Amino acid sequence: AQGILQPFSGFAAGLAGGRPGQEFSSSAGGMDHPCCVGVVRKADGLMGKDTGIGKKQLKGYYTAPESNNGTRMGVVVVHDIFGMGIPNTKYVVDYFASKGFHAVAPDIFAGKDLEPDAWPADEFEIKEELGGDKFTKWWGSITSEEFFGKVKADVDDSTAFLRRKGCGKFAIIGFCWGGKAAEVAAMGGRFNAAISCHGCMHTKETYTEVKAKASMMYISVSGDDFFPASVQEEIKEAGAPVKIFEGVGHGFMVRGDFEKDSKVNATANEAFDLALAHMKKACLRKPKYVKVSGLKPTSRGFNAIVKVAEEPKAVEAAAGTFTEAVCGDETGAFVLSLKDDQKQGIAKDTVLTVRNASVRMVNGHIRVVVDKWGKLDLSAPETTPEEVKTSNNISATEYELAAE
């Protein structure tokens, strides 16, 4: 095995080495051949470290950059069906760290009561046939709505982990099954950029849902049964950046034989260059700001520039004492709930930017909160509200939960 950036060019340098995996056939989930077969890497060139993520201490792998690239973007890498037991995904994490990003890969299959935890493979071969009843059942488990809900929770913990490393923006990239997981996770509004690499189960409808939340890119190959040409075209027509490579197979970005196949080597380098460019472009996008009057009980992941209209007040509650401040703009006002570590610097007439904030309903009334995925920014914004329309305090309206 060889470490990142030696002596092959680009991404392929970090993944050179390993032996070809065995190829099997599969009929699971409509598949007539397996995904993700190819070369499994050797682990002796890794640069990062295993780590625990979040309060649950989810297993993961993290690599810090030797020097930051100035974007303050953190990258979440989602593995394929072989999980984190083989080092392929870890090399991807190392690669993004070599480009100046803090990068982490959560072991999404760990602790989920899957049987097996990940599809069995070691650094030299795939241990069980990718087909038959066992694989069909297992594939159904990891593509269920319930399981993708767990994926979202693990990814949220991963972004919180990266925020503690100083990251303020986030990208997610996934491979094969992980490409679909990345698309699903990006629907939660945490990511500036999301990339599916030779992913599966994508549709025009899923792209339409995710594009309102993140800048989504799809990288795939021609003749890929897991992402048919007809669907590729539909998604492209809907506005997505879709790059289709010719002459390489499904899984080429992580399981191609970069050392022996110059075509795969060059194509993988080009694909990762595209992913990098997509991430950096997303960093340059100006955030969108909402007006207070447009907020609803279901509002999530929004940014707003507001002015504090009254001196903050301490409030006693069953959970303890916290602080509330009436804030707003020329269209309306709301009550901002603050934790002890958030109230410093908040006073009447302070102008602040709430980033990635959410509405939380308290006894039927709107409260705006900025949790661990958001930020209260006291630096001077480009525009400042001249006045606050306190006569339209949306937190004064009581809402009732409507029966379905």
Side-chain angles (χ1 to χ4, degrees):
Q2 304 183 42
I4 294 259
L5 304 179
Q6 343 165 344
F8 302 92
S9 62
F11 173 75
L15 297 191
R19 289 171 51 187
Q22 298 175 351
E23 296 192 10
F24 299 99
S25 63
S26 168
S27 58
M31 294 185 288
D32 59 6
H33 59 82
C35 68
C36 305
V37 296
V39 173
V40 182
R41 314 297 162 197
K42 295 178 181 178
D44 54 357
L46 293 172
M47 299 164 55
K49 61 181 181 180
D50 294 329
T51 189
I53 299 172
K55 293 181 179 179
K56 296 180 294 183
Q57 286 295 286
L58 173 70
K59 293 179 181 179
Y61 178 83
Y62 164 70
T63 308
E66 290 188 5
S67 60
N68 293 318
N69 58 19
T71 64
R72 294 187 65 241
M73 175 176 274
V75 178
V76 178
V77 180
V78 185
H79 54 71
D80 58 20
I81 65 171
F82 300 109
M84 297 293 290
I86 57 176
N88 295 39
T89 302
K90 295 180 178 180
Y91 274 107
V92 178
V93 174
D94 286 353
Y95 170 74
F96 284 110
S98 78
K99 298 299 182 181
F101 298 97
H102 289 267
V104 66
D107 188 347
I108 290 176
F109 293 160
K112 302 295 194 301
D113 297 322
L114 293 172
E115 182 55 44
D117 286 343
W119 201 250
D122 61 19
E123 294 184 33
F124 306 107
E125 64 181 350
I126 298 167
K127 295 293 188 179
E128 292 194 33
E129 182 178 353
L130 289 165
D133 293 342
K134 182 177 181 179
F135 183 79
T136 299
K137 180 180 179 181
W138 185 80
W139 177 259
S141 297
I142 65 170
T143 55
S144 67
E145 183 176 351
E146 178 185 4
F147 192 82
F148 278 131
K150 297 176 180 178
V151 170
K152 290 179 181 179
D154 288 348
V155 167
D156 282 349
D157 286 343
S158 298
T159 57
F161 174 90
L162 290 170
R163 186 173 293 281
R164 290 191 289 272
K165 303 297 183 182
C167 301
K169 301 174 183 178
F170 305 98
I172 186 169
I173 183 169
F175 301 87
C176 307
W177 169 86
K180 178 61 180 178
E183 183 187 58
V184 170
M187 293 175 184
R190 305 288 183 202
F191 294 95
N192 299 77
I195 304 157
S196 169
C197 304
H198 33 75
C200 59
M201 301 173 64
H202 301 304
T203 66
K204 177 182 177 181
E205 289 71 26
T206 59
Y207 169 68
T208 300
E209 184 175 353
V210 75
K211 74 175 182 179
K213 301 291 186 178
S215 179
M216 185 82 205
M217 169 181 258
Y218 301 87
I219 298 173
S220 193
V221 299
S222 61
D224 190 340
D225 293 340
F226 310 109
F227 191 14
S230 58
V231 179
Q232 294 171 359
E233 286 302 316
E234 288 179 354
I235 291 176
K236 187 182 298 184
E237 290 174 2
V242 179
K243 176 61 178 179
I244 306 302
F245 287 99
E246 304 285 343
V248 290
H250 179 95
F252 77 97
M253 290 178 69
V254 286
R255 299 180 67 81
D257 193 341
F258 304 123
E259 187 172 9
K260 296 181 180 179
D261 192 326
S262 59
K263 168 71 174 178
V264 173
N265 185 336
T267 307
N269 287 335
E270 183 180 351
F272 274 93
D273 284 344
L274 285 173
L276 282 170
H278 184 71
M279 292 177 184
K280 291 180 178 180
K281 182 178 179 181
C283 289
L284 299 175
R285 295 173 65 193
K286 290 188 176 181
K288 296 180 179 179
Y289 296 98
V290 301
K291 293 297 184 180
V292 171
S293 61
L295 296 179
K296 302 176 181 179
T298 55
S299 295
R300 298 288 186 275
F302 59 86
N303 306 308
I305 299 173
V306 295
K307 188 175 184 178
V308 181
E310 303 174 1
E311 290 295 338
K313 299 176 180 178
V315 177
E316 297 289 340
T321 302
F322 58 98
T323 302
E324 290 187 341
V326 176
C327 305
D329 58 20
E330 68 277 7
T331 69
F334 58 72
V335 174
L336 175 66
S337 292
L338 300 166
K339 298 179 181 178
D340 281 345
D341 60 353
Q342 294 178 317
K343 64 184 182 181
Q344 185 174 359
I346 306 296
K348 186 176 185 299
D349 294 330
T350 299
V351 175
L352 64 148
T353 304
V354 292
R355 301 187 188 279
N356 204 23
S358 298
V359 166
R360 183 172 296 166
M361 301 303 294
V362 178
N363 297 324
H365 294 270
I366 284 177
R367 294 292 185 270
V368 172
V369 297
V370 179
D371 59 18
K372 61 184 178 181
W373 296 290
K375 182 180 180 181
L376 286 172
D377 189 351
L378 297 179
S379 58
E382 294 182 5
T383 58
T384 301
E386 294 295 330
E387 59 182 24
V388 178
K389 189 176 182 179
T390 54
S391 60
N392 181 31
N393 189 339
I394 62 175
S395 291
T397 301
E398 184 174 4
Y399 291 81
E400 293 183 356
L401 184 63
E404 294 184 358

